[in-house]
Amino acid sequence: VVLALLGLSDFTAVSLSDEIARIYWAAQVPVRLLFLFVVTGYTYAFKPDGMLAKAGVGYKAGMGEGLKNRLVFTWGFLEVAAWFWVFISLRDERRQAGIRLIEKRKAEEDRL
C-alpha cells in the first residue's frame, strides 16, 4: 500500500510543470535517500548473522524482524542506487539551469 501511494504521488509529480517538479523532486530525493539508506543499513547490520545481531536462548523477536532478509536488503540497495542517480542528475540539472540564468543575465546587461 505504501509503495502504491509513493508510485501514485510520483506519477502526479511527473505531470507538474518543470519548475514545480524540480522543487518537488529536490525536496523528495534527499528524504527518500536517507530513509532507504537507513532501512538498508539496518537490514544489513542486524541480519541474523550480522555485526549487531542479537541471538541466544532468551532472545525475543522484535518489531523489525520482517526487515531482516535478503529481499528487503536487495530492494533497498537497488532503490538507493536508483535514487542516488536521480539525486546526481537533479544536481547537475540545477547547475546547468544556474549557468543558463547567469548567461541570460549577462546578455541582458550587455544590451543595456
Side-chain angles (χ1 to χ4, degrees):
V1 172
V2 172
L3 293 176
L5 177 66
L6 288 173
L8 287 174
S9 68
D10 291 350
F11 280 130
T12 304
V14 169
S15 67
L16 297 173
S17 68
D18 286 342
E19 186 69 27
I20 296 172
R22 259 190 231 118
I23 294 169
Y24 173 80
W25 289 114
Q28 287 294 312
V29 170
V31 172
R32 289 186 187 193
L33 259 176
L34 177 65
F35 175 77
L36 290 166
F37 187 74
V38 167
V39 167
T40 305
Y42 173 81
T43 302
Y44 181 75
F46 290 98
K47 64 184 177 178
D49 57 345
M51 301 181 290
L52 303 172
K54 294 180 182 177
V57 177
Y59 175 68
K60 191 166 56 169
M63 196 167 133
E65 289 299 314
L67 293 175
K68 301 175 190 175
N69 61 48
R70 293 178 194 155
L71 181 65
V72 173
F73 176 78
T74 303
W75 170 78
F77 185 80
L78 292 174
E79 285 285 316
V80 166
W83 283 107
F84 186 72
W85 175 75
V86 171
F87 177 75
I88 296 297
S89 297
L90 284 173
R91 189 176 67 173
D92 187 46
E93 187 176 312
R94 185 176 58 210
R95 183 181 57 80
Q96 290 173 356
I99 290 171
R100 283 192 303 267
L101 181 63
I102 290 171
E103 289 173 354
K104 181 181 174 184
R105 288 182 181 172
K106 189 181 270 189
E108 289 175 357
E109 287 177 5
D110 290 343
R111 282 189 229 158
L112 298 174

